[in-house]
Amino acid sequence: MTPRPFRPDPPQTLRPWAECPDAALAGLRGVLTDIDDTLTRDGQIEPAALAGLQRLAAAGLPVIAVTGRPAGWSRAFALAWPVRAIVAENGALMWRRRSAQKAAIEYADPLPVRQANAERLATCARAVLAEVPGTALARDSAGRITDIAIDHSEFAHLPPERIAQVVALMQAQGLTASVSSIHINGWIGAHHKFSGACWAVRQVLGGELRPAEWLYVGDSSNDQVMFERLPLSVGVANIARFVPLLTHLPTYVTRAERGAGFAEVAKKILAARPG
Ligand SMILES: [Mg+2]
C-alpha cells in the first residue's frame, strides 16, 4: 500500500456567506443554531432573527437551537419560538415542543448519573469561586441541572487570563470546560453541542444527522465542535471577536452581526430551495 501524500490542512479563511452556492443548500434538511449573540443581543432575541425562524418554520424547514444555557432558562423559549427543540446545557438535555403550551424535557444521562455528578460540580464551583479572583456564578445558575457556569461577559467581566484559569481549574477537577460568548461552562461527561444535536435530530425527526444536510449558525468558542463537524457552518459577523481564539472556524461568515446575520442565513437558504 502506498502511503497517502501529505497534504497540509487548507488555510482557514472565512468566506462570505453570499458565496455559498445555492446547490449546497438545496438538499438541506434543517437548521441548527446557537442562541446567545447569534439570535440575541443582550439576552433578547432580535426581531430579524425571530422573523427568520418564522420563515424557516413556514417553509417546513425544522430549526433546532443548541445552547450552553440552562434548562430553566431555555424552557420558555422552546414554547415561544418556532423551533422544534432547544438542546441546552451543551448537549446534556433538551426541551421538545409537544403542543402550543407544553414542552417536555429529556436528558442524555439517566437520573443516578446526574445525581452523582451534581455533588462534584458543586465542589468544583466552590473551588473556582475561592481560587480565581473576580469570579461569580452565572445569574442563570438556578436553572442549571447538569453543569456549572461562571459569568465572563454577561453581567461580569473576566479578563482572558482569568477565563483560562477557570478553564484549567475545571479541567483539573475532571470537568469538560467550554467558553461561550458569555459564560465558562463546566460539566461531567463527553457530551457537547454536536452530540446533543445528533441526539435531538434522532429524537425529534428520526434518523441520523447527516452532516451535509444540516447547517449550523454560531458565534463563539463553544460552537467550534459544530463548525468542525458540519461543512455548512456559518458565523454571524460578531464571530470576529473570537476568531483569534478558535481552532475551527465556520466555513462562511455573514455581513451582519447577531440576529440580522441569522436573518441573512435564513433568507439565502429559503431563496435556494427548489420550487
Ligand atoms: Mg453564542
Side-chain angles (χ1 to χ4, degrees):
M1 204 166 91
T2 47
R4 281 172 34 190
F6 171 71
R7 285 199 188 88
D9 289 331
Q12 289 207 338
T13 52
L14 286 165
R15 294 165 58 195
W17 166 238
E19 289 180 9
C20 177
D22 284 354
L25 302 172
L28 217 54
R29 189 159 181 231
V31 174
L32 302 159
T33 182
D34 171 53
I35 295 179
D36 277 287
D37 296 308
T38 297
L39 301 178
T40 68
R41 179 184 295 270
D42 299 329
Q44 305 289 321
I45 192 164
E46 295 199 294
L50 189 57
L53 289 173
Q54 284 161 343
R55 282 194 291 269
L56 291 167
L61 211 56
V63 178
I64 296 174
V66 192
T67 180
R69 286 281 195 171
W73 184 94
S74 306
R75 180 178 177 277
F77 303 117
L79 288 170
W81 298 344
V83 295
R84 296 290 294 274
I86 295 183
V87 176
E89 299 188 15
N90 284 299
L93 55 89
M94 88 175 116
W95 288 105
R96 276 175 78 179
R97 173 82 72 88
R98 293 302 194 179
S99 68
Q101 285 84 34
K102 187 169 163 46
I105 194 166
E106 296 175 29
Y107 296 95
D109 284 329
L111 181 61
V113 173
R114 301 199 302 274
Q115 285 173 330
N117 290 345
E119 202 163 320
R120 276 181 62 198
L121 291 167
T123 302
C124 182
R126 282 194 296 271
V128 169
L129 298 177
E131 292 175 33
V132 186
T135 48
L137 290 177
R139 289 196 196 173
D140 62 14
S141 290
R144 295 191 174 273
I145 296 174
T146 65
D147 74 350
I148 54 175
I150 301 295
D151 190 347
H152 72 73
S153 288
E154 189 180 23
F155 300 103
H157 176 73
L158 277 187
E161 61 273 19
R162 294 285 184 234
I163 295 175
Q165 206 180 339
V166 172
V167 168
L169 187 50
M170 287 178 173
Q171 289 171 338
Q173 301 224 356
L175 274 60
T176 302
S178 180
V179 183
S180 77
S181 59
I182 51 174
H183 297 158
I184 308 149
N185 299 86
W187 65 88
I188 296 164
H191 61 268
H192 44 56
K193 280 195 169 192
F194 186 72
S195 65
C198 292
W199 173 51
V201 166
R202 263 197 311 276
Q203 297 290 103
V204 175
L205 298 165
E208 297 303 310
L209 183 159
R210 285 192 286 272
E213 296 176 347
W214 288 83
L215 177 143
Y216 183 74
V217 194
D219 78 302
S220 179
S221 310
N222 70 339
D223 299 310
Q224 289 188 90
V225 65
M226 305 297 284
F227 299 152
E228 181 186 5
R229 308 292 179 98
L230 299 179
L232 286 169
S233 58
V234 189
V236 286
N238 44 296
I239 196 171
R241 171 187 168 203
F242 283 98
V243 162
L245 304 174
L246 300 181
T247 307
H248 300 284
L249 294 177
T251 310
Y252 300 102
V253 64
T254 61
R255 286 170 59 94
E257 295 192 344
R258 299 182 173 80
F262 182 85
E264 259 178 62
V265 175
K267 185 176 179 189
K268 184 168 168 61
I269 288 172
L270 293 171
R273 283 179 72 75

